[in-house]
Amino acid sequence: MELPLHLAWSGLRRFELGDEKLLLGLYRIVLTNGLREDLTRYLNADLLVRHWPRLRIALGKPVRTCWEQRFPELVASAAAA
């Protein structure tokens, strides 16, 4: 997958989704910098929940808190890890 310049303006733009490290990097970029349209286009709910325990560590507290308040399943995923 290739992110547009408005998201990945500094560095890597192409991500191999089969590589967990690259997938987490893509999700971190989209969660941190994405607009609503980017969130729906580039994020998959099942993958987000599955990888949330590791992904949440890479996010700043304001972003992590915002997502966990809106989506309780993320909190449950982190607690189960």
Side-chain angles (χ1 to χ4, degrees):
M1 179 176 295
E2 185 170 340
L3 290 178
L5 282 173
H6 76 273
L7 286 175
W9 46 267
S10 171
L12 186 64
R13 290 185 57 211
R14 296 186 73 106
F15 297 84
E16 175 57 50
L17 301 183
D19 182 322
E20 184 177 8
K21 184 177 178 180
L22 292 177
L23 174 71
L24 293 176
L26 178 136
Y27 272 51
R28 183 187 54 77
I29 291 169
V30 175
L31 289 166
T32 303
N33 301 320
L35 303 172
R36 181 182 199 128
E37 305 84 51
D38 300 318
L39 302 175
T40 58
R41 182 174 184 177
Y42 297 108
L43 301 180
N44 173 283
D46 292 333
L47 289 175
L48 181 62
V49 170
R50 181 180 329 148
H51 293 287
W52 188 253
R54 286 192 57 210
L55 184 58
R56 70 186 303 275
I57 296 166
L59 298 171
K61 186 174 181 177
V63 174
R64 181 176 61 242
T65 301
C66 177
W67 279 85
E68 288 181 345
Q69 286 177 346
R70 176 67 176 90
F71 300 100
E73 59 268 38
L74 296 176
V75 177
S77 174

Coordinates of all heavy atoms in Angstrom, one line a residue:
M1 N 0.8 -1.2 0.0 CA 0.0 0.0 0.0 C 0.9 1.2 0.0 O 1.9 1.2 0.6 CB -0.9 0.0 1.2 CG -1.8 1.2 1.3 SD -2.9 1.1 2.7 CE -3.9 -0.3 2.3
E2 N 0.5 2.3 -0.7 CA 1.2 3.5 -0.7 C 0.4 4.6 -0.2 O -0.8 4.8 -0.6 CB 1.6 3.8 -2.2 CG 2.5 5.0 -2.3 CD 3.1 5.2 -3.6 OE1 3.1 4.3 -4.4 OE2 3.5 6.4 -3.9
L3 N 1.0 5.3 0.8 CA 0.3 6.5 1.4 C 0.5 7.7 0.6 O 1.6 7.9 0.1 CB 0.7 6.7 2.9 CG 0.3 5.6 3.9 CD1 0.9 5.9 5.2 CD2 -1.2 5.5 4.0
P4 N -0.5 8.6 0.6 CA -0.3 9.9 -0.1 C 0.7 10.8 0.7 O 1.0 10.6 1.8 CB -1.7 10.5 -0.2 CG -2.4 9.8 1.0 CD -1.8 8.5 1.2
L5 N 1.2 11.8 0.0 CA 2.2 12.7 0.6 C 1.7 13.4 1.8 O 2.4 13.7 2.7 CB 2.7 13.7 -0.5 CG 3.7 13.2 -1.5 CD1 4.0 14.2 -2.5 CD2 5.0 12.8 -0.7
H6 N 0.4 13.7 1.8 CA -0.1 14.5 3.0 C -0.1 13.7 4.3 O -0.1 14.2 5.3 CB -1.6 15.0 2.7 CG -2.7 14.0 2.8 ND1 -3.1 13.3 1.8 CD2 -3.4 13.7 3.9 CE1 -4.0 12.5 2.1 NE2 -4.3 12.7 3.4
L7 N 0.1 12.3 4.1 CA 0.2 11.5 5.3 C 1.7 11.1 5.6 O 2.2 11.2 6.7 CB -0.6 10.2 5.2 CG -2.1 10.3 5.3 CD1 -2.7 9.0 5.0 CD2 -2.4 10.8 6.7
A8 N 2.3 10.7 4.5 CA 3.7 10.2 4.6 C 4.7 11.2 3.9 O 5.3 10.9 2.9 CB 3.9 8.8 4.0
W9 N 4.7 12.4 4.4 CA 5.5 13.5 3.8 C 7.0 13.4 4.1 O 7.8 14.1 3.5 CB 5.0 14.8 4.2 CG 4.7 14.9 5.7 CD1 3.5 14.7 6.3 CD2 5.6 15.3 6.7 NE1 3.7 14.8 7.7 CE2 4.9 15.2 8.0 CE3 7.0 15.6 6.7 CZ2 5.6 15.5 9.2 CZ3 7.6 15.9 8.0 CH2 6.9 15.8 9.2
S10 N 7.3 12.5 5.1 CA 8.7 12.4 5.5 C 9.1 11.0 5.6 O 8.9 10.3 6.6 CB 8.9 13.1 6.8 OG 10.2 12.9 7.3
G11 N 9.8 10.5 4.6 CA 10.2 9.1 4.6 C 9.4 8.1 3.8 O 8.9 8.4 2.8
L12 N 9.3 6.9 4.4 CA 8.6 5.8 3.7 C 7.2 6.1 3.4 O 6.4 6.6 4.2 CB 8.7 4.6 4.6 CG 8.3 3.2 4.1 CD1 9.1 2.8 2.9 CD2 8.3 2.2 5.2
R13 N 6.8 5.8 2.1 CA 5.5 5.9 1.7 C 4.8 4.6 1.3 O 3.6 4.5 1.3 CB 5.4 6.9 0.5 CG 5.7 8.3 0.8 CD 5.5 9.2 -0.3 NE 4.2 9.1 -0.9 CZ 3.9 9.3 -2.2 NH1 4.8 9.6 -3.0 NH2 2.6 9.2 -2.6
R14 N 5.6 3.6 0.9 CA 5.1 2.3 0.5 C 5.3 1.3 1.6 O 6.4 1.2 2.2 CB 5.9 1.8 -0.8 CG 5.7 2.7 -2.0 CD 6.3 2.1 -3.2 NE 5.5 0.9 -3.6 CZ 4.7 0.9 -4.6 NH1 4.7 1.9 -5.4 NH2 4.0 -0.2 -4.9
F15 N 4.2 0.5 1.9 CA 4.2 -0.4 3.0 C 3.7 -1.8 2.5 O 2.7 -1.9 1.9 CB 3.2 0.1 4.1 CG 3.7 1.4 4.7 CD1 3.4 2.6 4.1 CD2 4.4 1.5 5.8 CE1 3.8 3.8 4.6 CE2 4.8 2.7 6.4 CZ 4.5 3.9 5.8
E16 N 4.5 -2.8 2.9 CA 4.1 -4.2 2.6 C 3.3 -4.6 3.8 O 3.8 -4.7 5.0 CB 5.3 -5.0 2.5 CG 5.0 -6.5 2.3 CD 4.1 -6.8 1.2 OE1 4.4 -6.4 0.1 OE2 3.1 -7.5 1.4
L17 N 2.0 -4.8 3.6 CA 1.1 -5.1 4.7 C 1.3 -6.5 5.4 O 0.8 -6.7 6.5 CB -0.4 -4.9 4.3 CG -0.7 -3.5 3.8 CD1 -2.2 -3.5 3.4 CD2 -0.3 -2.5 4.8
G18 N 2.0 -7.4 4.7 CA 2.3 -8.7 5.3 C 3.5 -8.6 6.3 O 3.7 -9.5 7.0
D19 N 4.2 -7.5 6.3 CA 5.2 -7.2 7.2 C 4.7 -6.5 8.5 O 4.3 -5.3 8.3 CB 6.3 -6.4 6.6 CG 7.5 -6.2 7.5 OD1 7.4 -5.9 8.7 OD2 8.7 -6.2 6.9
E20 N 4.6 -7.2 9.6 CA 3.9 -6.6 10.8 C 4.5 -5.2 11.2 O 3.8 -4.3 11.5 CB 4.0 -7.6 11.9 CG 3.2 -7.0 13.2 CD 3.2 -8.0 14.3 OE1 3.9 -9.1 14.3 OE2 2.5 -7.7 15.3
K21 N 5.9 -5.1 11.1 CA 6.5 -3.9 11.5 C 6.1 -2.7 10.6 O 5.8 -1.6 11.0 CB 8.0 -4.1 11.4 CG 8.8 -2.9 11.9 CD 10.3 -3.1 11.9 CE 11.1 -1.9 12.3 NZ 12.5 -2.1 12.3
L22 N 6.0 -3.0 9.3 CA 5.6 -2.0 8.3 C 4.1 -1.7 8.5 O 3.7 -0.5 8.4 CB 5.9 -2.4 6.9 CG 7.3 -2.5 6.5 CD1 7.5 -3.0 5.1 CD2 8.0 -1.1 6.7
L23 N 3.3 -2.7 8.8 CA 1.8 -2.5 9.0 C 1.6 -1.6 10.2 O 0.8 -0.6 10.1 CB 1.1 -3.8 9.2 CG -0.3 -3.7 9.6 CD1 -1.2 -3.2 8.5 CD2 -0.8 -5.0 10.2
L24 N 2.4 -1.8 11.3 CA 2.2 -1.0 12.5 C 2.7 0.4 12.2 O 2.1 1.4 12.7 CB 3.0 -1.6 13.6 CG 2.5 -2.9 14.2 CD1 3.4 -3.5 15.2 CD2 1.1 -2.8 14.7
G25 N 3.7 0.6 11.4 CA 4.2 1.9 11.0 C 3.1 2.7 10.2 O 2.9 3.8 10.5
L26 N 2.5 2.0 9.3 CA 1.5 2.6 8.5 C 0.3 3.0 9.4 O -0.2 4.1 9.3 CB 1.0 1.6 7.4 CG -0.2 2.1 6.5 CD1 0.1 1.8 5.1 CD2 -1.5 1.5 7.0
Y27 N -0.1 2.1 10.3 CA -1.2 2.4 11.1 C -0.9 3.6 12.1 O -1.7 4.5 12.3 CB -1.7 1.2 11.9 CG -2.7 0.4 11.2 CD1 -2.5 0.0 9.9 CD2 -3.9 0.0 11.8 CE1 -3.4 -0.7 9.2 CE2 -4.8 -0.8 11.1 CZ -4.6 -1.1 9.8 OH -5.5 -1.8 9.1
R28 N 0.3 3.7 12.6 CA 0.7 4.8 13.4 C 0.6 6.1 12.7 O 0.1 7.1 13.2 CB 2.2 4.6 13.9 CG 2.6 5.7 14.9 CD 4.1 5.5 15.3 NE 5.0 5.5 14.1 CZ 5.3 6.5 13.4 NH1 4.8 7.7 13.7 NH2 6.1 6.4 12.4
I29 N 1.1 6.1 11.4 CA 1.0 7.3 10.6 C -0.4 7.8 10.4 O -0.8 8.9 10.6 CB 1.8 7.1 9.3 CG1 3.3 7.0 9.5 CG2 1.5 8.2 8.3 CD1 4.0 6.5 8.3
V30 N -1.2 6.8 10.0 CA -2.6 7.2 9.7 C -3.4 7.6 11.0 O -4.1 8.6 11.0 CB -3.4 6.0 9.0 CG1 -4.8 6.3 8.8 CG2 -2.7 5.7 7.7
L31 N -3.2 6.9 12.1 CA -3.9 7.2 13.3 C -3.4 8.6 13.8 O -4.2 9.4 14.4 CB -3.6 6.2 14.4 CG -4.3 4.9 14.2 CD1 -3.7 3.8 15.1 CD2 -5.8 5.0 14.4
T32 N -2.2 9.0 13.6 CA -1.6 10.2 14.1 C -1.9 11.4 13.2 O -2.2 12.5 13.7 CB -0.1 10.1 14.3 OG1 0.1 9.0 15.2 CG2 0.5 11.3 14.9
N33 N -1.9 11.2 11.9 CA -1.9 12.3 10.9 C -3.2 12.3 10.0 O -3.4 13.2 9.3 CB -0.7 12.3 10.0 CG 0.6 12.4 10.8 OD1 0.7 13.2 11.8 ND2 1.6 11.7 10.4
G34 N -3.9 11.2 10.1 CA -5.0 11.0 9.1 C -6.2 11.8 9.3 O -6.6 12.2 10.5
L35 N -6.9 12.2 8.2 CA -8.2 12.8 8.3 C -9.2 11.7 8.3 O -8.9 10.5 8.1 CB -8.4 13.7 7.0 CG -7.3 14.8 6.9 CD1 -7.5 15.5 5.5 CD2 -7.4 15.8 8.0
R36 N -10.5 12.0 8.5 CA -11.5 11.0 8.6 C -11.5 10.1 7.3 O -11.6 8.9 7.4 CB -12.9 11.7 8.7 CG -14.0 10.7 8.8 CD -15.4 11.4 8.9 NE -16.3 10.5 9.4 CZ -17.1 10.7 10.5 NH1 -17.1 11.9 11.0 NH2 -17.9 9.8 10.9
E37 N -11.3 10.7 6.1 CA -11.3 9.9 4.9 C -10.1 8.9 4.9 O -10.3 7.8 4.4 CB -11.2 10.8 3.7 CG -12.3 11.9 3.6 CD -11.9 13.1 4.4 OE1 -10.8 13.7 4.2 OE2 -12.8 13.6 5.1
D38 N -9.0 9.4 5.5 CA -7.8 8.5 5.5 C -8.1 7.3 6.5 O -7.7 6.2 6.2 CB -6.6 9.3 6.0 CG -6.3 10.4 5.1 OD1 -6.3 10.2 3.9 OD2 -5.9 11.5 5.6
L39 N -8.7 7.6 7.6 CA -9.0 6.5 8.6 C -9.9 5.4 7.9 O -9.6 4.2 8.1 CB -9.7 7.1 9.8 CG -8.9 8.2 10.5 CD1 -9.8 8.8 11.7 CD2 -7.6 7.7 11.1
T40 N -10.9 5.8 7.2 CA -11.8 4.8 6.6 C -11.1 4.1 5.4 O -11.4 3.0 5.1 CB -13.1 5.4 6.2 OG1 -12.9 6.5 5.3 CG2 -13.9 5.9 7.4
R41 N -10.2 4.8 4.7 CA -9.6 4.2 3.6 C -8.4 3.3 3.9 O -8.3 2.2 3.3 CB -9.0 5.3 2.7 CG -8.4 4.8 1.4 CD -8.0 5.9 0.5 NE -7.5 5.3 -0.7 CZ -7.1 6.0 -1.8 NH1 -7.2 7.3 -1.8 NH2 -6.6 5.4 -2.8
Y42 N -7.6 3.6 4.9 CA -6.4 2.9 5.2 C -6.4 2.0 6.4 O -5.5 1.2 6.5 CB -5.2 3.9 5.3 CG -5.0 4.6 4.0 CD1 -5.3 6.0 3.9 CD2 -4.4 4.0 2.9 CE1 -5.1 6.7 2.8 CE2 -4.2 4.7 1.7 CZ -4.5 6.1 1.7 OH -4.3 6.8 0.5
L43 N -7.4 2.1 7.2 CA -7.4 1.2 8.4 C -8.5 0.1 8.3 O -9.6 0.3 7.7 CB -7.8 2.1 9.7 CG -6.8 3.2 10.0 CD1 -7.3 3.9 11.3 CD2 -5.4 2.7 10.2
N44 N -8.1 -1.0 8.8 CA -9.1 -2.2 8.9 C -9.3 -2.4 10.4 O -8.4 -2.6 11.2 CB -8.4 -3.4 8.3 CG -9.2 -4.6 8.4 OD1 -9.2 -5.2 9.5 ND2 -9.8 -5.1 7.4
A45 N -10.6 -2.4 10.7 CA -11.0 -2.6 12.1 C -10.4 -3.8 12.8 O -9.9 -3.8 13.9 CB -12.5 -2.5 12.3
D46 N -10.5 -5.0 12.1 CA -10.0 -6.2 12.7 C -8.5 -6.2 12.9 O -8.0 -6.6 14.0 CB -10.4 -7.4 11.8 CG -11.8 -7.7 11.8 OD1 -12.6 -7.4 12.7 OD2 -12.3 -8.2 10.7
L47 N -7.8 -5.6 12.0 CA -6.3 -5.5 12.1 C -6.0 -4.5 13.2 O -5.0 -4.7 14.0 CB -5.7 -5.1 10.8 CG -5.6 -6.1 9.7 CD1 -5.0 -5.5 8.4 CD2 -4.8 -7.3 10.1
L48 N -6.7 -3.4 13.3 CA -6.5 -2.4 14.4 C -6.7 -3.0 15.8 O -5.8 -2.9 16.6 CB -7.4 -1.2 14.2 CG -7.3 -0.1 15.2 CD1 -5.9 0.5 15.1 CD2 -8.3 1.0 15.0
V49 N -7.7 -3.8 16.0 CA -8.0 -4.4 17.3 C -6.9 -5.5 17.5 O -6.4 -5.5 18.7 CB -9.4 -5.1 17.3 CG1 -9.6 -5.9 18.5 CG2 -10.5 -4.0 17.3
R50 N -6.6 -6.3 16.6 CA -5.6 -7.3 16.7 C -4.2 -6.8 17.1 O -3.5 -7.3 18.0 CB -5.4 -8.2 15.5 CG -4.4 -9.3 15.6 CD -4.3 -10.2 14.4 NE -5.5 -10.3 13.6 CZ -5.4 -10.4 12.3 NH1 -4.3 -10.4 11.6 NH2 -6.5 -10.5 11.6
H51 N -3.8 -5.7 16.5 CA -2.5 -5.1 16.7 C -2.4 -4.0 17.7 O -1.4 -3.5 18.0 CB -1.9 -4.7 15.4 CG -1.6 -5.8 14.4 ND1 -0.6 -6.7 14.6 CD2 -2.3 -6.2 13.3 CE1 -0.6 -7.6 13.6 NE2 -1.6 -7.3 12.9
W52 N -3.6 -3.6 18.3 CA -3.6 -2.5 19.2 C -2.7 -2.7 20.4 O -2.0 -1.7 20.8 CB -5.1 -2.3 19.7 CG -5.2 -1.0 20.5 CD1 -5.3 -0.9 21.9 CD2 -5.1 0.3 20.0 NE1 -5.4 0.4 22.2 CE2 -5.2 1.2 21.1 CE3 -4.9 0.9 18.8 CZ2 -5.2 2.6 21.0 CZ3 -4.9 2.2 18.6 CH2 -5.0 3.1 19.7
P53 N -2.5 -3.8 21.0 CA -1.6 -3.9 22.2 C -0.2 -3.4 21.9 O 0.4 -2.7 22.7 CB -1.6 -5.4 22.6 CG -3.0 -5.9 22.1 CD -3.2 -5.1 20.8
R54 N 0.3 -3.7 20.7 CA 1.7 -3.2 20.3 C 1.6 -1.8 19.8 O 2.5 -1.0 20.0 CB 2.3 -4.1 19.3 CG 2.8 -5.4 19.9 CD 3.7 -6.2 19.0 NE 4.8 -5.5 18.6 CZ 5.4 -5.7 17.4 NH1 5.0 -6.6 16.5 NH2 6.5 -5.0 17.1
L55 N 0.6 -1.5 19.0 CA 0.4 -0.2 18.3 C 0.3 0.9 19.3 O 0.9 2.0 19.2 CB -0.7 -0.3 17.4 CG -1.0 0.9 16.5 CD1 0.2 1.3 15.7 CD2 -2.2 0.7 15.6
R56 N -0.5 0.7 20.4 CA -0.8 1.7 21.4 C 0.5 2.3 22.0 O 0.5 3.4 22.4 CB -1.8 1.3 22.4 CG -1.3 0.2 23.4 CD -2.4 -0.3 24.3 NE -3.1 0.6 25.1 CZ -2.6 1.1 26.2 NH1 -1.5 0.7 26.8 NH2 -3.3 2.0 26.9
I57 N 1.5 1.4 22.1 CA 2.8 1.9 22.7 C 3.5 2.9 21.9 O 4.1 3.8 22.4 CB 3.7 0.6 22.9 CG1 3.0 -0.3 23.9 CG2 5.1 1.0 23.4 CD1 3.7 -1.7 24.0
A58 N 3.3 2.8 20.5 CA 3.9 3.7 19.6 C 3.2 5.1 19.4 O 3.7 6.0 18.8 CB 4.1 3.1 18.2
L59 N 2.0 5.1 20.0 CA 1.2 6.4 19.8 C 1.4 7.3 21.1 O 1.6 6.8 22.2 CB -0.3 6.0 19.7 CG -0.7 5.2 18.5 CD1 -2.1 4.7 18.7 CD2 -0.5 5.9 17.2
G60 N 1.3 8.5 20.8 CA 1.3 9.5 22.0 C 0.0 9.3 22.8 O -1.0 8.8 22.3
K61 N 0.1 9.7 24.1 CA -1.0 9.5 25.0 C -2.3 10.1 24.5 O -3.4 9.5 24.6 CB -0.7 10.0 26.4 CG -1.7 9.7 27.4 CD -1.3 10.1 28.8 CE -2.5 9.7 29.7 NZ -2.2 10.0 31.1
P62 N -2.3 11.4 23.9 CA -3.6 12.0 23.5 C -4.2 11.1 22.4 O -5.4 11.0 22.4 CB -3.1 13.3 22.9 CG -1.9 13.7 23.7 CD -1.2 12.3 23.9
V63 N -3.5 10.6 21.4 CA -4.0 9.8 20.3 C -4.6 8.5 20.9 O -5.7 8.1 20.6 CB -3.0 9.6 19.2 CG1 -3.5 8.6 18.2 CG2 -2.5 10.9 18.6
R64 N -3.8 7.8 21.7 CA -4.2 6.6 22.3 C -5.4 6.7 23.2 O -6.4 6.0 23.0 CB -3.0 6.1 23.2 CG -3.3 4.7 23.9 CD -2.1 4.2 24.7 NE -1.7 5.1 25.7 CZ -0.5 5.7 25.8 NH1 0.4 5.5 24.9 NH2 -0.3 6.5 26.8
T65 N -5.5 7.8 24.0 CA -6.7 8.0 24.8 C -7.9 8.3 24.0 O -9.0 7.7 24.3 CB -6.4 9.2 25.8 OG1 -5.3 8.9 26.6 CG2 -7.6 9.5 26.7
C66 N -7.8 9.1 23.0 CA -8.9 9.4 22.1 C -9.5 8.1 21.5 O -10.7 7.9 21.5 CB -8.4 10.4 21.0 SG -9.7 10.8 19.8
W67 N -8.6 7.3 20.9 CA -9.1 6.1 20.3 C -9.7 5.1 21.3 O -10.7 4.4 21.0 CB -8.0 5.4 19.5 CG -7.8 6.1 18.1 CD1 -7.1 7.2 17.9 CD2 -8.5 5.7 16.9 NE1 -7.3 7.6 16.5 CE2 -8.1 6.6 16.0 CE3 -9.3 4.7 16.6 CZ2 -8.6 6.5 14.6 CZ3 -9.8 4.6 15.3 CH2 -9.4 5.5 14.3
E68 N -9.1 5.0 22.4 CA -9.6 4.0 23.4 C -10.9 4.5 24.0 O -11.7 3.7 24.4 CB -8.5 3.8 24.5 CG -7.4 2.9 24.0 CD -6.3 2.6 25.0 OE1 -6.2 3.2 26.1 OE2 -5.5 1.7 24.7
Q69 N -11.1 5.8 24.2 CA -12.4 6.3 24.7 C -13.5 6.0 23.7 O -14.6 5.7 24.0 CB -12.3 7.8 25.0 CG -11.5 8.1 26.2 CD -11.4 9.5 26.5 OE1 -11.6 10.4 25.7 NE2 -10.9 9.9 27.7
R70 N -13.2 6.1 22.4 CA -14.2 6.0 21.3 C -14.5 4.5 21.0 O -15.6 4.2 20.7 CB -13.7 6.7 20.1 CG -14.6 6.6 18.9 CD -15.9 7.3 19.1 NE -16.7 7.2 17.9 CZ -17.6 6.3 17.6 NH1 -17.8 5.2 18.4 NH2 -18.3 6.3 16.5
F71 N -13.5 3.7 21.2 CA -13.6 2.2 20.8 C -13.2 1.3 22.0 O -12.0 1.0 22.1 CB -12.8 1.9 19.6 CG -13.2 2.7 18.4 CD1 -12.5 3.9 18.0 CD2 -14.3 2.4 17.6 CE1 -12.8 4.6 16.9 CE2 -14.7 3.1 16.5 CZ -14.0 4.3 16.2
P72 N -14.1 1.0 22.8 CA -13.8 0.1 24.0 C -13.2 -1.2 23.7 O -12.4 -1.8 24.5 CB -15.1 -0.1 24.7 CG -16.1 0.9 24.1 CD -15.5 1.3 22.8
E73 N -13.4 -1.7 22.5 CA -12.8 -3.0 22.1 C -11.3 -2.9 22.0 O -10.6 -3.9 22.2 CB -13.4 -3.5 20.7 CG -13.2 -2.6 19.6 CD -14.4 -1.6 19.3 OE1 -15.0 -1.1 20.3 OE2 -14.7 -1.4 18.1
L74 N -10.7 -1.7 21.8 CA -9.3 -1.5 21.8 C -8.8 -1.7 23.2 O -7.7 -2.3 23.4 CB -8.9 -0.1 21.3 CG -9.3 0.1 19.8 CD1 -8.9 1.5 19.4 CD2 -8.6 -0.9 18.9
V75 N -9.5 -1.2 24.2 CA -9.1 -1.3 25.6 C -9.1 -2.8 26.0 O -8.2 -3.3 26.6 CB -10.0 -0.5 26.6 CG1 -9.6 -0.8 28.0 CG2 -9.9 1.0 26.2
A76 N -10.1 -3.5 25.5 CA -10.3 -4.9 25.8 C -9.1 -5.7 25.2 O -8.6 -6.6 25.8 CB -11.6 -5.5 25.4
S77 N -8.8 -5.3 24.0 CA -7.7 -6.0 23.3 C -6.3 -5.8 24.0 O -5.6 -6.7 24.2 CB -7.5 -5.4 21.8 OG -6.4 -5.9 21.2
A78 N -6.1 -4.6 24.5 CA -4.8 -4.3 25.2 C -4.8 -5.1 26.5 O -3.8 -5.6 27.0 CB -4.7 -2.8 25.5
A79 N -6.0 -5.2 27.2 CA -6.0 -5.8 28.5 C -5.8 -7.4 28.4 O -5.3 -8.0 29.2 CB -7.4 -5.6 29.2
A80 N -6.2 -7.9 27.2 CA -6.1 -9.3 27.0 C -4.7 -9.7 26.6 O -4.4 -10.9 26.7 CB -7.1 -9.8 25.9
A81 N -3.9 -8.8 26.2 CA -2.5 -9.1 25.8 C -1.6 -9.4 26.9 O -1.7 -9.0 28.0 CB -2.0 -7.9 24.9

